[in-house]
Amino acid sequence: MLPQDKSDDEFVTKPPATIGDGFWLKKGTFKSAPTGHTTCFTCHSADTGILPAPQTCAACHQLKPPQPAGDFDAKFAATLGIDNKMMFDSWRRRSSAGTFRHEWFSHAELSCATCHNVLKMDTAKPETTKVGIASCATCHATPTSDDGGALNFEIDSRAKTPTFQCVKCHITFGKMAIPTSHTDAIKAAATAK
Ligand code: HEC
Ligand code: HEC
Ligand code: HEC
Ligand code: HEC
Ligand code: HEC
């Protein structure tokens, strides 16, 4: 069994001794979604008559649209020594922050709606399930780096060292160019306070 919930283990698997500040997957990172029909068919059944009926497969299943690139690295994931398809399926689908962890005091205290707009979500349109950086900036962006913002620190580090990789929130995205959403978030944090 992998560590979860009240387990004292912080990491999903034992990190190498040389890990330092490097990233290693922690428990409580991913939330599950309904994995089968049972959840739905308790209400959607022939008995209740609530539509869609179990037999109308197409009401719930469509051809899967192309998926955006995930903040996921299959090679790195393999080195973690985890063989859990469901966890990897979630990770692969993360098109915003691959390292974001749900089970973490400062994150778990927030209402889900701080980051997820459930009414606008359509799983057939991956762009609608993405979490925007504005949801992180309230805490991780500050007027300047000296005020402790991780986003400020990484943007400043990139300016100093062009090869700097952003690792706080990202697995693979952190090697790429800085999106304007990130610099806009810094500007907003600088003017708000
Ligand atoms: C501080 C922001 C934040 C809060 C609060 C939050 N989430 Fe998330 N959640 C995220 C991010 C970021 C992702 C990754 C989205 C992506 O990259 O597509 C995510 C992904 C998910 C997923 C997809 C599986 C996964 O873990 O990648 C589910 C399901 C989910 N959240 C449910 C919830 C529920 C339920 C709550 C409230 C109990 C919640 N979230 C609260 C930020 C948050
Ligand atoms: C607690 C009861 C309940 C559960 C559990 C439930 N549903 Fe529903 N669902 C409803 C009701 C009530 C409606 C509205 C039916 C209507 O308007 O005739 C509905 C409507 C829908 C619709 C039609 C929405 C539309 O816009 O036409 C879809 C699709 C659907 N549900 C999918 C699901 C899926 C997928 C699950 C499982 C993950 C699920 N439901 C679980 C009660 C439930
Ligand atoms: C009320 C909505 C609903 C209806 C109707 C429905 N399903 Fe599903 N189905 C779901 C949900 C929700 C899941 C779980 C999705 C997940 O794991 O991400 C699922 C999962 C599945 C899976 C597993 C998919 C996978 O990726 O492993 C299969 C296969 C499937 N359904 C086939 C069918 C068939 C065939 C029918 C019609 C006889 C049907 N479903 C009717 C909601 C529905
Ligand atoms: C506090 C967390 C956080 C930090 C720090 C962070 N990012 Fe992001 N990043 C996000 C979120 C959330 C998204 C998805 C939504 C968005 O772009 O607003 C994202 C998206 C991206 C994307 C995908 C492109 C896109 O527009 O969706 C790239 C590339 C990226 N970030 C690069 C970087 C780089 C480079 C750094 C370091 C300078 C960095 N990020 C620092 C949270 C972060
Ligand atoms: C309400 C404030 C708040 C929000 C909103 C928030 N965080 Fe955090 N987060 C924190 C605090 C506090 C910490 C602990 C100090 C630190 O590591 O910066 C933390 C830690 C983290 C860590 C390190 C966790 C660990 O276990 O090492 C990551 C990664 C992270 N946040 C990403 C995000 C991303 C991505 C978002 C937006 C989707 C986000 N956070 C939104 C307050 C927040």
Side-chain angles (χ1 to χ4, degrees):
M1 274 297 276
L2 296 171
Q4 49 190 330
D5 196 32
K6 301 222 161 28
S7 162
D8 289 336
D9 289 327
E10 185 179 15
F11 296 98
V12 173
T13 50
K14 198 172 169 359
T18 52
I19 186 72
D21 288 335
F23 176 77
W24 200 258
L25 191 67
K26 292 181 180 175
K27 77 179 171 79
T29 294
F30 305 107
K31 291 267 187 196
S32 71
T35 50
H37 289 139
T38 328
T39 329
C40 316
F41 292 174
T42 45
C43 295
H44 295 279
S45 70
D47 284 351
T48 63
I50 298 175
L51 299 177
Q55 305 81 352
T56 52
C57 320
C60 300
H61 295 289
Q62 295 159 14
L63 287 175
K64 216 181 180 102
Q67 301 293 306
D71 190 12
F72 175 79
D73 178 350
K75 260 197 219 135
F76 171 70
T79 64
L80 290 167
I82 313 166
D83 177 19
N84 186 307
K85 184 181 175 293
M86 277 187 28
M87 196 185 272
F88 281 169
D89 283 352
S90 297
W91 203 352
R92 215 178 284 278
R93 276 208 296 260
R94 285 226 173 161
S95 57
S96 64
T99 67
F100 174 80
R101 191 180 170 203
H102 282 95
E103 183 194 287
W104 178 247
F105 66 97
S106 41
H107 295 164
E109 281 165 2
L110 302 168
S111 106
C112 312
T114 316
C115 304
H116 298 290
N117 188 340
V118 184
L119 294 176
K120 286 211 177 129
M121 248 183 224
D122 176 351
T123 52
K125 298 193 184 101
E127 67 277 11
T128 64
T129 63
K130 193 167 173 170
V131 172
I133 193 149
S135 309
C136 323
T138 39
C139 301
H140 293 295
T142 46
T144 70
S145 268
D146 290 340
D147 304 305
L151 184 61
N152 307 64
F153 169 78
E154 291 192 335
I155 289 180
D156 289 354
S157 304
R158 178 64 77 81
K160 270 185 227 126
T161 318
T163 52
F164 176 84
Q165 188 185 337
C166 305
V167 294
K168 173 88 178 175
C169 305
H170 295 305
I171 308 288
T172 55
F173 288 174
K175 294 180 193 131
M176 295 158 64
I178 304 175
T180 46
S181 60
H182 292 33
T183 40
D184 288 348
I186 293 290
K187 276 184 218 143
T191 45
K193 287 162 200 170

